[in-house]
Amino acid sequence: MFPTTAKEVKELGWDYIDIIIFTGDAFIDHPSFGTAMIARYLQSHGYRVAVVPQPNWRDDLRDFRKLGQPRLYFGVNAGAMDSMVNHYTASKRLRSDDAYTPDAKAGMRPDYAVTVYSRILKSLFPDVPVIIGGVEASLRRFTHYDYWSDSLKPSVLVESGADYLCYGMGERPMLELTRAIEARRRPYDMRKIPQIAFYMDGNQIPEEALVLESYETCLQDKRAFAKNFHQIETAANMLKPPVIAEPTGCGYVRVNPPYPPATEEEMDSFYDLPYTKLPHPKYKGKRIPAYDMIKFSITTHRGCFGGCNFCTIAAHQGKFIQERSEDSIVREAAALTKLNGFAGNISDLGAPTANMYGMKGRDYDRCSRCLRKSCLFPSPCRNMDRSHGRLLGLYKRVDAVKGIRHSYIGSGIRYDLFLDDTGFVDGTSCEYLKSLVLKHTSGRLKVAPEHTEEHVLQLMAKPSFKLFSVLRREFDKIVSASGKHFQLVPYFISGHPGCTLDDMRRLSRNRILHGLYMEQVQDFTPTPMTASSVMFYTGLDPKTLDEVFVERDIERKRQQKSYFFRNH
């Protein structure tokens, strides 16, 4: 158990705590949550970790004091989501619930939670290091557009006052940083640790660094901000990117390159830890909606090479796929069968893009030199091995585990991995789609073409809608031959840069969609560190610097979304 109160610390017989993690979510000891993964990984290396979930920042700050001062440092994250995405809709309306809080109660974390928590801790314990991480910190590590304040903000390091920022998936950098703090290594040595960022006073920027335009320049020049982002994004998709330095104020933010993609052995070491898969006992009798969604799920891999312009997955998890071994996944499936309430159904055997498991370039040397953001757009890379053979083998092994009735794929899939304009791309493609539809969905296959209009799809970095028509054709063949009833459910985005009300009208009337169950269109929300949010703020495509139409008026954005529903 990870203690959350002084009483629980005492019950464990601890006379000190190495690390105290403050998080905006309720604490759930499940590998779908970053706080649990970091806590378990550090614990496995001998450190005593306590967690303070959803501390009260409005009162006398007793939650921040209750466990005292840790031996090494405080860790801070906003939770599994950016706190502003968690709080507000695309129309900037306050949400009435919070899936990551007991009984979905809203208002249990502040806006800009990483900054609020960090400032409080630095004021109460000025001599204790504060390390920030998680999605909110990771995607705000550089100058970024903040949709909710409609302003350009500096790196969260500057606003929060934190000592270090760990970006991306943090097991390896957090362990190294923990060991460095414990050993009292010199700042010069600590600053060489991969996958961390920090603020430096002065202008002694390393010669080898990629130097961006300053935050102050970006405030005055939107083109400079767009150029910065293109350089950041290019570096983020390299196997061996440089140090990046962004001048801000009287110093600069330094972002070190990440660790290499995790090996299978390393991935197994992250996921094979003794997670209870349960919320902390303090929540007994309360329902946490996010837990209900993931408690019987299994993560197979990390990363995504799809390169969608509106998506933050690659910016946080990386472009290169990092998969667990089949043995590790099968062990987790077997362990699920022993959990209370498990009825034999794995709710999701997947990842950000479920069918990228095990996929890599055939020639790794070519990948190491490649600067492409996406391995699929504008056309699939010829070096990419798109065989679904290994994934099909994994599905069969999991389904053969005693006590498993069904393994569903709840995560998104990329149909451009197994289809092209003419049909299936290799011998495993048809088998994969057939298996997916007939065995691994509960009757509805959800996919995300995102739009029908080519110029909008280009700005989204998504494949042509013509490919969806190929998918529908092959889907209908499989369903017809099976004699069963299945639905194909497409998802769309309104209000994306480049999209007009006329574009949504054409989408709603597209003949290829006739007869399909039209469930959802999502209004585009600009989130930090995506190309689409840069377009929204600047009106420029960051890659080409061409001008892009942007609908910024909230009411007209709402009309784009509602037009879809008026016609379905």
Side-chain angles (χ1 to χ4, degrees), residues 364-501:
Y364 203 60
D365 287 338
R366 286 179 62 183
C367 293
S368 68
R369 300 189 300 271
C370 182
L371 297 180
R372 282 182 62 163
K373 171 187 174 181
S374 170
C375 303
L376 294 174
F377 182 87
S379 61
C381 175
R382 294 180 180 178
N383 188 44
M384 175 58 64
D385 182 357
R386 291 191 276 170
S387 170
H388 286 67
R390 185 177 175 190
L391 187 56
L392 284 164
L394 173 64
Y395 290 172
K396 290 174 182 176
R397 284 193 63 186
V398 169
D399 288 347
V401 172
K402 185 177 180 180
I404 300 297
R405 296 172 57 201
H406 297 101
S407 58
Y408 295 114
I409 312 303
S411 306
I413 62 157
R414 287 290 297 242
Y415 49 85
D416 48 350
L417 280 171
F418 54 80
L419 291 175
D420 60 21
D421 290 344
T422 61
F424 294 109
V425 300
D426 68 11
T428 67
S429 297
C430 181
E431 185 184 355
Y432 177 75
L433 181 58
K434 187 180 296 185
S435 175
L436 179 68
V437 173
L438 301 181
K439 297 181 181 179
H440 300 287
T441 68
S442 56
R444 305 171 80 202
L445 177 62
K446 299 178 181 180
V447 294
E450 310 296 9
H451 217 287
T452 59
E453 304 309 291
E454 295 300 317
H455 65 281
V456 181
L457 289 166
Q458 286 288 316
L459 292 171
M460 292 177 167
K462 292 287 287 187
S464 169
F465 188 68
K466 294 174 184 176
L467 198 59
F468 178 81
S469 66
V470 178
L471 174 67
R472 181 170 186 184
R473 182 190 72 205
E474 300 301 337
F475 175 88
D476 288 345
K477 286 181 183 177
I478 291 169
V479 172
S480 178
S482 73
K484 299 179 181 179
H485 180 67
F486 291 92
Q487 290 181 318
L488 182 63
V489 184
Y491 283 65
F492 297 97
I493 293 177
S494 63
H496 188 276
C499 180
T500 66
L501 191 60

Side-chain angles (χ1 to χ4, degrees), residues 68-85:
Q69 182 171 313
R71 186 171 70 93
L72 300 177
Y73 61 84
F74 291 110
V76 168
N77 68 65
M81 296 173 64
D82 185 286
S83 57
M84 302 306 287
V85 177

